[in-house]
Amino acid sequence: MKPYNHTRIEQKWQKRWAKDRIYESKESAKKKACYVLDMFPYPSGEGLHVGHPKGYIASDVYARYKRMSGYSVLHPMGWDAFGLPAENYALEHKVHPQTAVAKNIARFKEQLQHIGFDYDWKREINTTDPSYYKWTQWIFLQLFKKGLAYQSNEPINWCPSCKTGLANEDLEGGACERCGTTVEQKKIPQWVLKITDYADRLLSDLDTLPWSEHIKELQRNWIGKSEGAEIDFLVSESDIKIKIFTTRPDTLFGATYMVLAPEHPLVVQLMEQAKNKEEVSRYVALALKKTPKERAENKEKTGVELRGVKAINPGTKEEIPIFVADYVLEHVGTGAIMAVPAHDERDFEFAKKFNLPVRHVVESTESSILSNSGNFDGMDSEEAKKKITDAFGVPKTTYKLRDWVFSRQRYWGEPIPVIHCKTCGVVPVPEKDLPVLLPKVTSYEPSGTGESPLATMAKWVNTKCPECGEKGRRETNTMPQWAGSSWYYLRYMDPDNTRALVFSKKEKYWAPVDTYVGGIEHATRHLIYARFWHKFLFDMGVVSTSEPFQKLHTVGLVLAEDGRKMSKRYKNTIDPDDVIKLYGADSLRLYEMFMGPFENTITWNTNSLIGVRRFVERVWRLQEHVQNADVSELQSVLHRTVKKVGEDIGAFKFNTAISTLMIFLNAVEKERGIGKSQWKSFLKLLSPFAPHIADELWSALSNKKSIHVESWPTYEEKFLTEETVIIALQINGKTRGETTISTQADTAEYERVAREALSERLKNLEVVRVVVVPKRLVNIVVKVTS
Ligand code: ANZ
Ligand code: ZN
């Protein structure tokens, strides 16, 4: 037997697989499709550390299992390469982003190839390829034509450090998710996508998805649907109306004051009529200086009354005071509220501080019943919501989800394909002129003025209006990083198509993605954006399913050995290439799948990796003990292993699948031998996890074809029955019979079986104790009567 040389074996098989093209995906009339997808990586300059491939290994194991189970499998890989990180890396290292991206991709690809994945590299995509982003731009044009992409001048989140506008999804607690800088509000012309038009479907279709409740809840909260009413309150002695949004119209009669957000347009107007104009304007100025985060974290409520100005509660017809306070947010509801201190905690705090009346209008008994509410007294609160809305307002549904701010004032992104013309306005670039190429520039530093660096490229910017032929200016903003990743999974189905985004026959074959694997951090951004675009493409008839991804598995982090996140910054990253050199890709793969439940965060442990490597070596040595005839003692455990490993892989329970393989190996070593056909089955079960050694040992059996195109072993029910042993049954040390019992039985089961078998003899005897010798005997000790 040759020594186990993982490097030789792994390089040999990686070459062979590529040469024989065994992983190429084909549409096949005879086979069902199974599309297995990884969230594609951002090719950063740091390369991969051992945490990154955990999800890729899992999807690889699953894809291999599905292929062997008779599916035509699509398991592609590509690069999400536009966006800020690539551009910042390029700026820092003084190379063009395109050069940096090409270099980083080459490095990533090399690392991935060493791990032995079964990707169909013929389908590789790169979001920065013009042949790819042509279709990203095409989707934008369709959105524009359907009125779902519009220009806005509303103030948006602006990161002064990244020098670009950001979407709400790009913030974390009011700060730029990328660099941590507190964002400002800035008025710059923006392109915005009307994702809110899809809010209801994004919400209700969650119920059709077999995703974890946790992820669905994250999305539900992000969309944040509130059902309620809009009610107008009249300002006394005027015809000014203040429109409020409430989820509790049933509490209208308990509204004892009103509050306007400091930014509310009526504040300026009403301030003029107030007796304390100076005070109000000072308060407003102060409030506007606070960051959204500071406002959200406001411990002590602040505010100022518009003295001398009153509103009329349409329910009670009473005059109530109006306040300006920053606990009311400009872009929630209408930016104005009716305050009901008796039933709303925030209002209550405020009312206490400003000494405002608290009026209870809903008494919670068995159900909630109205009081102090005129004609509505005694009514159930659910009914009252409807009745009061009918009488005083209109039903209204609001969402926390905002329209998607879609333009960035940066260089490294897809140009937005429109032309501005003095006469014709905004004119879409004709589809035949796509892609609008991102021009090569020498300086791509962000200008910081709110204009993209592209704006300085006169030659590129100045063009002809496609409609009137007069002078036009190209849009100089680019798309956000999330654009290319919002539809990439479709392109893998048909990556070379020059005439369509995807040929519908291919789309119908592969869609939807069967299993999608990636990080939980994408639960509310990428996964909402992609679902939005997908639904839009569904409405356009481009895709045939209303949801893009069926099963979704989130991968748990791999922490560094020191327990911290792996990061260049902490100098605690481990390069998979180093692990592969020392222990082999098969050991790395097995270890990452064995380290614990897939979705858990787990600390890297080199000793455990070495333990896994020993398992691989034991498998290697087993080839010496293969005999022609099956070892009958192994039949039952083998069939149980086949069943368990298949079921576990299907359920992403890789760690228990591997321990089942380990238990089987123990059984083989105990028997000191394994039959050839049993050995073949075992190698197949091992092959998704350790594809190289499996193929090496498989070919040693004179098999010509790769194990990875073989079929998955099947099990027979009749072998699944548990193993049994025969045990002696004794009373006071004298054998009185025997019986069979499962080898898995515990002491209680032994005792139960023995008492039952000897029940005739034990009649009228007093049992003192029961001695169990597992797999040998049960001795029942009884009181001896003379
Ligand atoms: C009266 C009321 C009585 C309210 C009550 C709640 C409880 P959710 O459910 O989170 O959507 N609200 C409305 N616009 C606001 C704004 N711009 N800034 C801060 N708060 C605002 O919250 C809806 C409730 O939040 C609304 O219903 C309103 O207070 C408040 F017992 O109206 B409610
Ligand atoms: Zn024109």
Side-chain angles (χ1 to χ4, degrees), residues 8-69:
R8 185 190 63 80
I9 293 171
E10 289 172 2
Q11 287 176 356
K12 165 182 158 189
W13 286 102
Q14 285 164 17
K15 269 194 210 117
R16 182 82 61 83
W17 298 333
K19 187 177 132 267
D20 295 346
R21 306 201 278 187
I22 62 169
Y23 303 130
E24 269 177 27
S25 311
K26 291 188 190 79
E27 297 85 30
S28 156
K30 289 193 217 88
K31 288 183 180 182
K32 279 215 265 182
C34 182
Y35 187 174
V36 185
L37 183 67
D38 299 289
M39 291 184 188
F40 64 164
Y42 206 94
S44 80
E46 303 194 348
L48 294 168
H49 62 59
V50 288
H52 295 121
K54 185 176 160 191
Y56 309 155
I57 296 171
S59 65
D60 195 66
V61 170
Y62 183 82
R64 288 172 183 279
Y65 163 67
K66 283 293 194 178
R67 184 180 295 106
M68 292 174 83
S69 303

Side-chain angles (χ1 to χ4, degrees), residues 670-724:
K670 209 175 111 207
E671 301 300 334
R672 294 167 194 281
I674 180 169
K676 193 169 169 182
S677 80
Q678 294 171 324
W679 175 235
K680 283 182 168 179
S681 294
F682 173 72
L683 290 178
K684 287 179 180 178
L685 300 183
L686 180 71
S687 68
F689 297 98
H692 311 86
I693 190 175
D695 233 353
E696 179 73 11
L697 293 170
W698 181 256
S699 78
L701 299 170
S702 318
N703 288 304
K704 291 277 167 296
K705 280 207 274 180
S706 165
I707 193 169
H708 304 296
V709 294
E710 288 290 330
S711 48
W712 192 251
T714 52
Y715 58 86
E716 286 179 57
E717 286 295 334
K718 71 174 186 214
F719 290 112
L720 295 181
T721 47
E722 285 176 299
E723 279 179 72
T724 55

Side-chain angles (χ1 to χ4, degrees), residues 127-151:
T127 54
T128 67
D129 271 348
S131 65
Y132 179 89
Y133 69 71
K134 166 180 177 175
W135 297 104
T136 313
Q137 292 175 334
W138 182 84
I139 295 172
F140 179 89
L141 285 184
Q142 312 313 310
L143 286 160
F144 177 75
K145 287 174 189 167
K146 289 274 181 309
L148 292 165
Y150 61 95
Q151 273 192 299

Side-chain angles (χ1 to χ4, degrees), residues 419-425 427 464-472:
I419 291 164
H420 300 268
C421 167
K422 278 218 177 76
T423 347
C424 312
V427 180
K464 264 194 211 150
C465 168
E467 248 159 55
C468 66
E470 294 297 311
K471 271 191 210 157

Side-chain angles (χ1 to χ4, degrees), residues 450-718:
E451 263 199 325
S452 145
L454 292 179
T456 61
M457 302 209 48
K459 251 175 88 185
W460 183 81
V461 173
N462 295 320
T463 184
K464 264 194 211 150
C465 168
E467 248 159 55
C468 66
E470 294 297 311
K471 271 191 210 157
R473 268 180 70 80
R474 285 191 191 280
E475 169 67 47
T476 58
N477 282 331
T478 54
M479 299 188 197
Q481 193 196 324
W482 306 103
S485 59
S486 293
W487 72 279
Y488 73 110
Y489 54 93
L490 295 172
R491 194 61 180 170
Y492 284 133
M493 298 173 184
D494 193 10
D496 301 320
N497 197 333
T498 53
R499 307 226 308 267
L501 183 154
V502 58
F503 181 38
S504 76
K505 224 170 130 185
K506 295 195 176 187
E507 188 276 334
K508 282 206 178 74
Y509 181 70
W510 294 113
V513 172
D514 169 82
T515 296
Y516 197 21
V517 183
I520 185 89
E521 68 276 14
H522 294 300
T524 49
R525 286 188 290 183
H526 162 58
L527 283 173
I528 284 190
Y529 292 150
R531 290 182 64 221
F532 162 43
W533 277 29
H534 192 88
K535 287 185 183 308
F536 170 69
L537 292 171
F538 175 69
D539 294 347
M540 297 265 307
V542 176
V543 298
S544 61
T545 66
S546 62
E547 284 288 335
F549 315 117
Q550 277 300 301
K551 282 169 270 172
L552 179 68
H553 287 282
T554 49
V555 49
L557 274 184
V558 178
L559 298 179
E561 216 141 16
D562 62 11
R564 290 190 292 181
K565 236 180 121 157
M566 274 195 198
S567 157
K568 269 264 146 81
R569 188 150 49 107
Y570 303 136
K571 298 196 170 39
N572 61 2
T573 57
I574 301 173
D575 185 336
D577 276 352
D578 294 338
V579 176
I580 289 170
K581 234 178 246 151
L582 271 173
Y583 305 103
D586 284 336
S587 293
L588 171 73
R589 294 170 58 108
L590 275 162
Y591 169 59
E592 294 214 4
M593 293 298 95
F594 186 57
M595 53 176 29
F598 179 62
E599 58 288 345
N600 288 16
T601 297
I602 293 163
T603 304
W604 181 269
N605 183 318
T606 303
N607 283 334
S608 309
L609 167 66
I610 292 169
V612 168
R613 159 79 192 200
R614 283 204 200 100
F615 165 75
V616 176
E617 287 169 3
R618 279 162 64 200
V619 171
W620 180 255
R621 287 196 292 272
L622 222 55
Q623 57 181 313
E624 297 277 275
H625 302 278
V626 178
Q627 59 186 58
N628 275 327
D630 279 350
V631 175
S632 60
E633 286 80 357
L634 291 176
Q635 265 329 61
S636 171
V637 61
L638 175 63
H639 282 255
R640 276 184 278 134
T641 303
V642 169
K643 180 169 193 275
K644 175 94 173 128
V645 171
E647 286 173 356
D648 280 358
I649 293 176
F652 267 55
K653 292 181 184 163
F654 306 106
N655 58 329
T656 52
I658 293 170
S659 53
T660 305
L661 290 172
M662 290 173 168
I663 289 167
F664 180 75
L665 181 68
N666 291 342
V668 176
E669 287 176 345
K670 209 175 111 207
E671 301 300 334
R672 294 167 194 281
I674 180 169
K676 193 169 169 182
S677 80
Q678 294 171 324
W679 175 235
K680 283 182 168 179
S681 294
F682 173 72
L683 290 178
K684 287 179 180 178
L685 300 183
L686 180 71
S687 68
F689 297 98
H692 311 86
I693 190 175
D695 233 353
E696 179 73 11
L697 293 170
W698 181 256
S699 78
L701 299 170
S702 318
N703 288 304
K704 291 277 167 296
K705 280 207 274 180
S706 165
I707 193 169
H708 304 296
V709 294
E710 288 290 330
S711 48
W712 192 251
T714 52
Y715 58 86
E716 286 179 57
E717 286 295 334
K718 71 174 186 214

Side-chain angles (χ1 to χ4, degrees), residues 114 294 345 378 414 760:
H114 293 160
E294 283 167 341
E345 228 171 284
E414 302 87 343
E760 245 346 274

Side-chain angles (χ1 to χ4, degrees), residues 232-236 238-242 258 310-314:
D232 286 339
F233 281 56
L234 203 64
V235 175
S236 282
S238 84
D239 50 11
I240 300 172
K241 285 179 191 150
I242 302 176
M258 298 190 77
K310 302 278 176 198
I312 294 165
N313 179 324

